[in-house]
Amino acid sequence: MPSLSPEFVAPLVRGRFAVPYLWRETCASTQDLLRDSGLPEGALAVAEHQTHGRGRLGKMWEERPGESILMSILLRPPVGSPTAQLSLVTALATALAIEHVTGLTAELKWPNDVLLGGRKVAGILLEGDGDAVLCGVGINVSQTADTLPRATRLPATSVALAAGRPIDRALLLAVLVDRLEAEYDRWRHDGLRALLPAFAARHRLTGREVTAGRVTGTVAGVADDGALVLVTADGESARVVSDEVIDLEIERLAPASLDDA
Ligand code: BTN
């Protein structure tokens, strides 16, 4: 199985990102390869396997070697920028890259999940590093039904399972880096508002009943500043800025064994 070593990926990347390109067979977390590194914006860390892959909210990101895209990119947005929005920017770029390579339509689940056929295929993890942001992306690419991560809240899938064919990981990574650069530049120049139509078109939570913290309501959409907007049963509007959002329908679909694993 071809790796994501620089010889396979560098020739496919066209823009200014992915310089330098750090690649490891194994590391604890690609986030840690960039932390405190002093590297320039666009520095990319990629691994075939992580021994301590991190998800949001203290969860683990589970995978077997050589089946995923595990990457972190160093971003240096202007000081004072609303950097939490980069989760939405990166999720959109990831969805667009998957769509480009597969021809499928990806869905987004605010703020950081990418889904295919209602199942989670990718997640985004943002971490601060001084004024910089470490933006981690994990994509299940080549997993079979037997090798998918099991201890997940949402049912999982891989790009290959959803597409019904093998996927070239190096190509998907290169397209993702290019899309991320394009969407990041658009966000910097025009703000999140410029990306919201593309986000909204893929947002599977719109019109659904969700719970965020103590609030349950129907999702009206995503505000210009990136907040999730809910309408509660008594007609009040509620904004969710950062929380775990549970889609009650997906929750009902998730086999109990996945939650119990
Ligand atoms: C989530 O869905 O909770 C976010 C998952 C993010 C996983 C990626 S894999 C590459 C990078 N390194 C990590 O340790 N985590 C992110």
Side-chain angles (χ1 to χ4, degrees):
M1 169 189 323
S3 78
L4 296 176
S5 62
E7 63 189 292
F8 293 110
V9 180
L12 303 174
V13 176
R14 290 169 302 186
R16 68 182 193 283
F17 279 7
V19 180
Y21 183 95
L22 314 179
W23 175 78
R24 301 282 187 277
E25 283 280 2
T26 301
C27 67
S29 162
T30 53
Q31 298 285 95
D32 299 337
L33 296 177
L34 298 178
R35 184 175 296 284
D36 296 328
S37 65
L39 288 169
E41 175 162 276
L44 185 70
V46 173
E48 302 294 332
H49 176 57
Q50 299 178 128
T51 55
H52 293 82
R54 299 194 284 275
R56 281 177 76 239
L57 306 168
K59 294 179 185 146
M60 304 259 301
W61 184 261
E62 222 193 299
E63 37 71 34
R64 298 184 188 197
E67 293 191 330
S68 305
I69 288 176
L70 309 167
M71 61 151 265
S72 298
I73 193 154
L74 182 66
L75 299 175
R76 297 190 179 281
V79 174
S81 314
T83 51
Q85 294 177 1
L86 288 170
S87 182
L88 280 64
V89 175
T90 307
L92 176 61
T94 304
L96 293 173
I98 291 172
E99 290 180 0
H100 179 85
V101 168
T102 63
L104 300 172
T105 300
E107 293 174 304
L108 296 163
K109 176 175 175 286
W110 184 96
N112 78 316
D113 293 328
V114 183
L115 296 89
L116 287 172
R119 292 174 170 262
K120 178 163 173 170
V121 74
I124 316 299
L125 174 69
L126 293 189
E127 293 177 336
D129 180 26
D131 289 338
V133 176
L134 304 175
C135 184
V137 183
I139 309 179
N140 301 328
V141 182
S142 306
Q143 283 87 346
T144 65
D146 290 337
T147 65
L148 282 173
R150 299 206 43 84
T152 56
R153 173 180 279 285
L154 294 179
T157 192
S158 70
V159 184
L161 276 173
R165 62 177 172 83
I167 298 296
D168 181 338
R169 283 189 307 143
L171 175 65
L172 179 55
L173 174 58
V175 173
L176 171 56
V177 170
D178 283 342
R179 287 291 185 278
L180 187 52
E181 184 177 323
E183 297 306 320
Y184 174 69
D185 286 349
R186 203 140 65 100
W187 174 77
R188 279 192 59 165
H189 293 132
D190 304 326
L192 185 67
R193 183 196 292 246
L195 282 63
L196 285 182
F199 193 97
R202 293 167 176 79
H203 194 204
R204 78 165 277 132
L205 293 184
T206 304
R208 288 176 194 259
E209 193 185 5
V210 305
T211 294
R214 294 191 192 152
V215 185
T216 295
T218 304
V219 174
V222 177
D224 284 354
D225 64 357
L228 187 71
V229 181
L230 308 185
V231 178
T232 61
D234 54 11
E236 296 289 317
S237 185
R239 286 163 46 85
V240 182
V241 177
S242 173
D243 213 320
E244 180 159 38
V245 173
I246 297 171
D247 175 344
L248 297 175
E249 183 183 327
I250 292 188
E251 202 56 10
R252 280 194 284 267
L253 282 175
S257 59
L258 288 178
D259 281 343
D260 296 340

